[in-house]
Structure formats: structure tokens, C-alpha cells
Amino acid sequence: MSRTSRCGTRPESRGSGSHEPGRVQRRILGRALRRRRRVWSGHPNPQLVDRVAALTPGRALDVGCGEGADAVWLARQGWQVTALDVSAVGLAKAALHASDAGVDVTWRRVDLDGWSGEPGAYDLVSAQFMYLDQPALTELFRALGASVAPGGTLLLVGHHPIDPRHGSHEFPDVRWTPEDAVSWLDADDWSSIDVATIRREGHLGTMHDGIVQATRA
């Protein structure tokens, strides 16, 4: 069964099958997101703003939306936004954020480990800092690419391995280079692919973001 929720209502689940949400995602995100206060800043990711501000709004998919800052920002820019996350608590916080902002977002609870995508459904697919281990991350990026409509944009942003690995031994190594991510995509599917590594100041000090922005052929 597929169920969705709109701004101001309780998010419900949409799985890739009958299995429960991925154990790694639940363990990492669940403990933090169960807190009443926000875990993140409430501001959109800077690379999203920099890369998307000039695009013509259409249908957008925000994958791994957390507490909803990126999805709310996109909706404010005029995008029709669908946002996915594994955490019901995070989605509930995101729905409240959207309600406070007066924007409409479709929220879906999805296990991204094994998610098969929605072929050609979106003009923008954005995935910022996915907390999936391999090979699930490669499979997810391919599904995200398949979900981009012709002429649409795929935006992938992640932690670059220039920076030290954060977290304990149970935390997956979620770092990748832009060149890694491009190799997981089929080059023939894209009319252009731009890669970059951007240095910025984050909550842990100086950080480097790996970026892939691709336009679907």
C-alpha cells in the first residue's frame, strides 16, 4: 500500500517492499530525531541553494529529507516537492516545519535501502548527505538518476574523503568523491555532468562537499 501525507498532517509510510526500514538508517537517525528539539539548523543545505536557485521550478524529489529544511526551501521557490525519509519522527518534524512556513510538501516514509525509484518522474532529484553504506548507496544513486525526467537535474552532495571519517565504528563510511559517484551512473543517460569539491565551514569545522550535478539527456 502506498500512502502519502501533505503539509500539516502526520507522515505515513511507503516502503520498497514488506521489509522494515534499513537498520543502519534507523540506528543512526532514530536516536537523534526522537529528541523534541531540532537536530539540524533548519536552514537548507548551501550547495542546494547555490545549484538550484537559478533552475525553473517543476517537480522536485528531496531524498533523505530529515527535518525538511531543503524541502521547505524548494517549496518556497515554487517547486512541487515530494520528500522521502526513513524516520517517521523526522518526517513529523518536517511536516510541522512546512506548516509553520505555509508551504505544501508531500511527505513519504520510505526505506531507501532497496528503493527502486520512480522512472522519469521529477525535474529535480536532490540527495544531500545520504547515510547508506555500500552497495546500497550505489544502487540508490542509480535509482535517483532513473527518476530524473529528460532535461531534468540530478544533484548529489556528500562528505568528501578529504575530511576525516566522523562517528564511531558502527557508523558507515558515507564519504565519496564526485568521481566515485559519476562512475556509479550511466554516462550515456546524461547530456552534461559537472563535478566539484567545495570547501565550507560547518558545525564540525572546515568541511569539504563532493558535488555531482547532471542533466538528463
Side-chain angles (χ1 to χ4, degrees):
M1 179 183 298
S2 172
R3 294 175 291 177
T4 64
S5 68
R6 307 294 286 185
C7 167
T9 62
R10 181 176 179 177
E12 297 192 60
S13 64
R14 178 177 180 173
S16 58
S18 60
H19 56 289
E20 290 297 314
R23 289 178 298 168
V24 171
Q25 290 174 289
R26 286 205 314 271
R27 185 173 65 245
I28 294 169
L29 300 177
R31 289 176 297 197
L33 288 173
R34 278 193 292 270
R35 304 169 189 162
R36 280 184 166 270
R37 61 184 175 82
R38 272 187 190 149
V39 176
W40 315 120
S41 69
H43 302 299
N45 282 299
Q47 310 308 342
L48 174 77
V49 174
D50 181 62
R51 295 280 175 151
V52 173
L55 298 181
T56 300
R59 302 157 298 171
L61 181 66
D62 179 20
V63 181
C65 66
E67 296 174 329
D70 285 1
V72 168
W73 181 84
L74 286 167
R76 281 175 163 162
Q77 310 313 302
W79 292 86
Q80 301 168 31
V81 184
T82 298
L84 314 181
D85 204 90
V86 71
S87 169
V89 176
L91 287 170
K93 291 183 178 183
L96 288 173
H97 186 180
S99 180
D100 290 343
V103 296
D104 191 21
V105 175
T106 298
W107 308 101
R108 295 179 182 168
R109 188 182 183 204
V110 173
D111 178 4
L112 295 171
D113 186 353
W115 180 70
S116 57
E118 301 175 53
Y122 297 97
D123 304 300
L124 170 67
V125 174
S126 172
Q128 311 265 327
F129 306 104
M130 293 290 93
Y131 288 86
L132 283 177
D133 209 346
Q134 294 291 4
L137 184 62
T138 295
E139 294 167 357
L140 174 63
F141 280 7
R142 289 173 179 163
L144 297 179
S147 299
V148 180
T153 299
L154 174 67
L155 180 62
L156 307 174
V157 181
H159 298 291
H160 198 288
I162 293 174
D163 298 327
R165 181 175 176 177
H166 298 295
S168 66
H169 67 279
E170 71 172 9
F171 199 86
D173 188 353
V174 297
R175 300 171 301 168
W176 46 264
T177 69
E179 292 75 19
D180 288 337
V182 167
S183 73
W184 304 333
L185 304 174
D186 187 341
D188 292 337
D189 291 338
W190 307 95
S191 61
S192 67
I193 300 177
D194 176 49
V195 299
T197 299
I198 301 296
R199 178 178 173 176
R200 66 180 174 87
E201 293 303 314
H203 65 286
L204 296 174
T206 301
M207 307 173 71
H208 297 81
D209 294 339
I211 303 169
V212 175
Q213 182 173 348
T215 301
R216 188 87 184 182

